[in-house]
Amino acid sequence: MPLPQPFFNRRRLLQHAGLLAASIALPAWAQPAKTASRNLVVAQVVDFSQAQQDVSKDFLIGSRAAWQDINAKGGIRGRRVDHQTLETDGTPASLKTALDSVKDNPACVALSGSVGDLVASQIVAISHKGGLAMAHVAPWLQNSSLEIDDKTFPIFAARQEQMAYALKNLSSMGLKELGAIYATPQDYNAYHADVERITAALQLKLQIFRGADDLRALGQKLTPRTPAVLLFVGGTPELAEFTQGLEKQARQRYVVALADVNLQTMLQMGAARNTPVIATQPVPLVNASLPIVRRYRETLARLFDEPPAPLSLAGFIAARYTYEVLNEVDGAPNRQNVLAAFQRRGAMNVGGFSVSFNPERRSSTYVTQSMMTVDGRLIG
């Protein structure tokens, strides 16, 4: 079934319907919180630009579910946590306004779960230049090229680990060449250097394809010389459209997508099903039996009318990790003490999800993957 035109109407719908869903049980979430003196504030910067909103919506719902559950069980040593969402439109000016709104609020002790990758990367750059005087915890940081400073604590595997995991089995089968599909010029500008560095490290020959307005047409233009394995860099709506272009290709293709793609949503959008799609995710499978995943499913079902999804599980884990460290802060939980607690950051097990940091201040290499088969089933 062809996707409606203009295709990206779905993104505009998400900007309204998705935000409404994310705001359930907490009215006026995008406004600065009126904080009681004893409450702690944990701020979450969320990019609701057109390109990022489907990622941000799911991640935010998971974080919100976690913080509501934490408060229902006593908060931080009896103190409520005000989870303040700072909405941005993806521009540096919007991000500056968002950060300025909490810089002068002493009750705000940390940033947690900034999402998506571009805004998280911008915050890392600001922090690295000394423009952020608080801990930046568990961002949705997919960029594996950034240097991490001593105020940033990424707990999820970045793009490099995801690609290595997805491609290692294919490499063992003799994969020598990879096609990289960039959904938009913005995706190419943001990520091509990262992808080229990673594929060079894997000793793969790389062909690059840049998308623009019509990804279905791009899929139709591939030739027999195009690699059989394609790495797709972009979001869920773009990938669904691209697979429809592949539908008429005689050669069997395999598409590798990274963690910003939701396979369940792809199926709902009518993605073509004759091309296997493998999607990586830096969190456990949502049907796993790990304690953190069981708690996530139970909390999500109780608080939100949303199906489990890897991105909202990531948001849930981000909030739970932030809580676990805050709960162990020595003395009054102010910005200095909270930052010191995260900088001491020993290895921690968050309900079966392990967090430990290497000398480059990166944490997890934990990656799983799901696959959409040619008959429309999701495996993993």
Side-chain angles (χ1 to χ4, degrees):
M1 175 181 177
L3 296 174
Q5 297 294 332
F7 177 73
F8 292 111
N9 277 349
R10 177 182 179 272
R11 290 207 182 280
R12 286 191 282 275
L13 289 172
L14 273 170
Q15 199 162 21
H16 300 289
L19 300 192
L20 178 61
S23 67
I24 293 172
L26 188 59
W29 58 266
Q31 302 300 319
K34 296 180 180 179
T35 306
S37 59
R38 291 193 70 256
N39 290 4
L40 300 175
V41 173
V42 172
Q44 183 169 14
V45 180
V46 181
D47 180 358
F48 271 115
S49 65
Q50 186 169 316
Q52 293 291 311
Q53 59 196 259
D54 45 348
V55 172
S56 296
K57 179 185 79 75
D58 283 346
F59 196 97
L60 176 60
I61 286 172
S63 294
R64 177 150 301 139
W67 287 116
Q68 289 187 35
D69 184 55
I70 287 164
N71 282 327
K73 294 177 171 59
I76 305 290
R77 300 175 188 172
R79 296 179 65 175
R80 178 181 174 83
V81 177
D82 285 336
H83 173 221
Q84 182 174 348
T85 306
L86 307 177
E87 181 181 342
T88 77
D89 62 8
T91 63
S94 177
L95 176 58
K96 182 180 184 302
T97 299
L99 294 178
D100 285 348
S101 72
V102 295
K103 281 182 178 177
D104 297 329
N105 181 1
C108 182
V109 297
L111 298 180
S112 172
S114 57
V115 60
D117 177 54
L118 293 179
V119 78
S121 298
Q122 290 171 0
I123 296 173
V124 171
I126 292 169
S127 182
H128 192 69
K129 294 176 181 177
L132 188 67
M134 69 180 83
H136 178 209
V137 186
W140 185 246
L141 187 65
Q142 301 296 289
N143 191 330
S144 51
S145 299
L146 285 180
E147 181 180 350
I148 305 301
D149 71 329
D150 64 355
K151 296 184 183 68
T152 303
F153 310 97
I155 67 171
F156 301 115
R159 192 173 294 110
Q160 179 171 343
E161 289 78 25
Q162 293 178 41
M163 287 179 60
Y165 184 91
L167 297 175
K168 67 180 181 180
N169 291 335
L170 296 169
S171 297
S172 67
M173 296 166 59
L175 177 69
K176 300 296 182 184
E177 191 174 26
L178 181 71
I181 310 294
Y182 296 94
T184 66
Q186 293 77 15
D187 288 318
Y188 175 80
N189 292 334
Y191 302 125
H192 78 93
D194 208 17
V195 171
E196 289 165 21
R197 176 180 57 80
I198 294 165
T199 51
L202 294 171
Q203 298 182 324
L204 295 174
K205 183 179 178 181
L206 183 67
Q207 286 190 35
I208 293 173
F209 303 87
R210 304 189 201 186
D213 295 329
D214 193 345
L215 287 163
R216 188 183 295 109
L218 177 61
Q220 291 170 346
K221 290 177 182 177
L222 300 185
T223 70
R225 294 185 178 182
T226 305
V229 179
L230 304 172
L231 174 70
F232 187 88
V233 182
T236 303
E238 295 92 341
L239 179 54
E241 184 181 20
F242 178 69
T243 62
Q244 291 197 341
L246 293 178
E247 192 168 14
K248 298 181 179 180
Q249 290 281 317
R251 184 180 185 184
Q252 178 68 68
R253 311 283 181 182
Y254 295 85
V255 177
V256 176
L258 301 178
D260 281 351
V261 166
N262 185 324
L263 294 183
Q264 291 174 319
T265 302
M266 275 190 61
L267 289 174
Q268 294 167 1
M269 295 179 66
R273 298 181 180 184
N274 63 340
T275 301
V277 179
I278 301 167
T280 61
Q281 52 203 42
V283 293
L285 299 175
V286 296
N287 58 0
S289 60
L290 294 175
I292 187 67
V293 183
R294 293 201 307 268
R295 186 166 195 166
Y296 157 75
R297 290 196 301 262
E298 182 276 325
T299 305
L300 188 70
R302 177 163 41 88
L303 297 176
F304 291 95
D305 184 20
E306 292 283 336
L311 281 161
S312 64
L313 174 57
F316 189 87
I317 291 173
R320 290 297 311 185
Y321 173 70
T322 305
Y323 160 78
E324 294 292 348
V325 178
L326 286 176
N327 210 35
E328 297 177 358
V329 170
D330 295 331
N334 55 41
R335 287 185 189 178
Q336 288 182 328
N337 289 345
V338 167
L339 178 58
F342 280 103
Q343 288 173 335
R344 289 192 297 269
R345 66 190 191 284
M348 179 177 288
N349 187 296
V350 184
F353 182 84
S354 296
V355 177
S356 60
F357 293 85
N358 63 22
E360 287 74 40
R361 301 192 176 101
R362 295 272 183 177
S363 176
S364 181
T365 58
Y366 188 102
V367 182
T368 58
Q369 65 184 21
S370 300
M371 182 175 182
M372 187 180 78
T373 65
V374 292
D375 59 0
R377 293 179 299 118
L378 293 181
I379 300 175

